[in-house]
Amino acid sequence: MYPSSPMKAMFLAIGFLGSFFGQSRRIAAPAHTFSELTPADVVRLNQQRDVVLAAARTRFGTVALTRTQKDLPILQKLIDDKVFDKSQTYQLQCLGVAFGDVLASELPLRWVIITDEYGRDPTLRYKNSDLNINALTMLSKRVEKGESVNLSWLLHTTREQLAYYDQGAR
């Protein structure tokens, strides 16, 4: 017996989102838990945001990051100018935090902690679902592989895939 079209769509969406955001393709119950950010987690994320702001301030005179779509040109310029090279994983993950803030301002995502077989890390959780977007590594993995990174495209594609996920979940 084959799954119905809506069911197929849901599995495709989960599979695509999983590969797009670094999640596994397994459909079984997730082997992770979500928890709220602790004060130490907030400090960590703010320190990572400060790394990006310091680079933007030095290079472009940026006074503040807004954590909104208005930050995209600044973040894109940091990437395009290769301010952080592919060996600077921590700094690239800091860019991921800043981009994650943009995603969270545009989409129904929020910062939480995920605990799984790899440890405990900040992630963006979609609504109250088990779907999460690993913003920390979304950019670093692409830069480390030598791929081009277009933040506007990533935002647009994330928006489309989450809408597709919602359609399949009905």
Side-chain angles (χ1 to χ4, degrees), residues 12-23 131 157-158 161-162 165:
L12 287 173
I14 291 169
F16 179 79
L17 284 168
S19 64
F20 186 72
F21 299 120
Q23 304 298 305
L131 183 65
T157 302
T158 302
Q161 290 303 309
L162 292 175
Y165 173 83

Side-chain angles (χ1 to χ4, degrees), residues 79 84-93 136-149:
I79 292 168
F84 305 122
D85 71 35
K86 63 183 179 178
S87 69
Q88 294 178 287
T89 301
Y90 176 76
Q91 290 83 353
L92 291 170
Q93 289 182 357
L136 256 56
T137 61
M138 182 185 273
L139 306 181
S140 65
K141 286 183 178 182
R142 286 172 171 78
V143 171
E144 289 166 356
K145 290 179 186 176
E147 297 174 5
S148 66
V149 177

Side-chain angles (χ1 to χ4, degrees), residues 15-34:
F16 179 79
L17 284 168
S19 64
F20 186 72
F21 299 120
Q23 304 298 305
S24 70
R25 290 182 178 265
R26 89 183 142 212
I27 303 296
H32 61 256
T33 59
F34 295 112

Side-chain angles (χ1 to χ4, degrees), residues 64-89:
L65 294 174
T66 64
R67 300 185 189 183
T68 69
Q69 197 169 358
K70 292 178 183 178
D71 292 342
L72 284 183
I74 296 163
L75 301 177
Q76 187 67 57
K77 188 101 172 94
L78 289 171
I79 292 168
D80 292 346
D81 289 356
K82 296 181 173 43
V83 171
F84 305 122
D85 71 35
K86 63 183 179 178
S87 69
Q88 294 178 287
T89 301

